[in-house]
Structures are given as structure tokens and as C-alpha cells.
Amino acid sequence: NLPITLIGLGSGLSFEFDGPSHHGVGDIGIMRMLPEMTIYNPASPPAAEASVQMAYDSDSPVCIRLDKGQLAPLYISDTNFHEGLGLLREGDDLCIVSTGTMVHRALEVSETLAGHSINVAVVDLYRLKPVNEALLLKYLLPFTKVVSLEDNSIVGGLGSILSEILLDNQQAVKLKRIALRDEQCLRYGKKEWLHETYRIDVPSIVKQIQEWYSVE
């Protein structure tokens, strides 16, 4: 329980051609198992800056998960990042909860689905542990269908977090988990190609959500 900060640089498949030795696709589940650990997965520069400050102020271990690329700000400068999550887009039909760089993908998907008459809310869960359950449930409970979207293994990551919270709070919300399959990620190449291969690119996500959403 020492105040040590771990920086996980190159989350998901962002190391591209460096291949399976560098793919960061199982770290969320591993870090979540450590009882004292706080986990930040910022999706933007303001959130990353706030995560560093909160880690510095913490007297317990912290893990900050960072993508390699440059990302759009998403937030205004005076956002209160101590809340652990933020509602980036309002919607009526379903809600996508995402984290890290995939939040930008979630916003792209929501724009595409709006063209198909599916109004999608987007929540950015930038603190994966501990989760602000009260605020998260406030955003989720108006919906009967929720999607988790991540560039991490489907085992132990964001989808698992949402499953546990909804079950523990006895909420009958249908959850669609979109993540990397439970298998070794042995391929390497451009990030866009890897996302297409593992079906976490925009067209693949849109298709998965449309097919799932249309089923009552």
C-alpha cells in the first residue's frame, strides 16, 4: 500500500507493429485484482493531467493507463475529474460506456447510429477503480440496454466491471460487451487494421450494436 504510481504506456493495440509482446490488452484485469490499487484510464489530455495530479496527491498505489497517440481534449479545463466518470453525450435509446482511447470511438459510433435513428448516450469511465457506482447507475438506469466498449480483453475489463455493478445492484439492464476476444493477440500492424481484425472499428461496432439492439 505504498504511494507508488505505475504508468502503463501503450494501452490496447497502440504499439501496432511491436506486436504481441507490447499489446496492452490484459492489464485492467490484472490491476483490478490488487485491493489497494486505483486505476485511471484517461481519454483526453485534461483527464490525463488530472490523473497525474490525483496520483501525486494519493497515499496509495495508482495505475495510469495511457494511449500512445494524441487525443482530442473532450473536456473543458475546469472539469471535476474526482467524480471518476463523465457524460459526454446524451441519448434516449441506449448508452455506451467506454474508457481510454475507445471513448473517441464510442463518440464516432454514436454519430453513425444517430443516422440510423438510434440515439446513443456516451459515458466516459476514466477511473476504473474505485468506480463511482452511484453516479454511474444514475446515468445507466434510465436505459434498458447498455454497451461496454474497450480495447482490452473481454475478461476482467470494463465489461466485467459493469456486469458486476449491475448484478450487485440487482439491475435488470441488458448489457452488450464489445472488447477483444479471450485469445492471444498475436497479430501486428497498423492500429486501424488491428481494430478491424478484432472487430472494434466503427463499422464492426455499429453492426454489432444494430444487430443486438434490434432484438427484443
Side-chain angles (χ1 to χ4, degrees):
N1 200 29
L2 296 174
I4 295 172
T5 298
L6 306 174
I7 305 295
L9 179 62
S11 60
L13 302 167
S14 58
F15 266 101
E16 300 184 322
F17 286 95
D18 289 319
S21 65
H22 284 60
H23 295 334
V25 298
D27 52 298
I28 295 176
I30 294 170
M31 290 294 105
R32 285 184 65 217
M33 292 178 64
L34 302 175
E36 299 88 0
M37 188 65 67
T38 295
I39 306 172
Y40 294 108
N41 192 24
S44 65
E49 181 180 359
S51 297
V52 171
Q53 184 62 55
M54 290 185 287
Y56 178 80
D57 295 336
S58 175
D59 57 3
S60 298
V62 175
C63 177
I64 303 177
R65 189 175 191 261
L66 298 174
D67 187 78
K68 282 186 63 184
Q70 296 184 359
L71 303 173
L74 295 182
Y75 293 92
I76 58 176
S77 58
D78 61 347
T79 299
N80 178 15
F81 288 102
H82 287 86
E83 292 188 334
L85 66 152
L87 178 65
L88 296 182
R89 179 187 172 106
E90 295 184 352
D92 301 318
D93 296 322
L94 64 84
C95 179
I96 298 177
V97 182
S98 191
T99 186
T101 183
M102 293 300 287
V103 171
H104 299 265
R105 182 65 43 84
L107 291 169
E108 291 180 75
V109 168
S110 67
E111 290 288 343
T112 302
L113 287 172
H116 297 276
S117 300
I118 302 177
N119 194 4
V120 180
V122 175
V123 170
D124 172 18
L125 187 63
Y126 47 81
R127 190 179 69 215
L128 295 171
K129 186 180 180 182
V131 174
N132 185 341
E133 292 192 16
L135 183 57
L136 179 62
L137 289 171
K138 176 184 175 181
Y139 289 144
L140 296 189
L141 293 189
F143 299 94
T144 59
K145 292 187 175 183
V146 172
V147 175
S148 64
L149 177 60
E150 59 190 310
D151 59 354
N152 191 77
S153 169
I154 199 168
V155 178
L158 175 62
S160 296
I161 292 171
L162 295 186
S163 299
E164 294 162 10
I165 291 173
L166 291 172
L167 181 62
D168 289 346
N169 288 275
Q170 301 179 348
Q171 298 300 323
V173 176
K174 294 181 179 179
L175 176 64
K176 170 70 174 176
R177 297 184 298 159
I178 300 178
L180 299 175
R181 297 183 294 270
D182 182 24
E183 61 184 35
Q184 296 290 344
C185 292
L186 299 178
R187 296 179 175 88
Y188 54 89
K190 291 293 293 182
K191 187 175 181 178
E192 293 78 11
W193 178 82
L194 288 168
H195 280 210
E196 291 175 8
T197 300
Y198 291 110
R199 299 185 67 212
I200 56 172
D201 61 307
V202 171
S204 298
I205 295 167
V206 168
K207 182 179 180 181
Q208 291 177 72
I209 292 177
Q210 284 179 310
E211 292 175 350
W212 175 71
Y213 180 75
S214 63
V215 177
E216 294 297 335

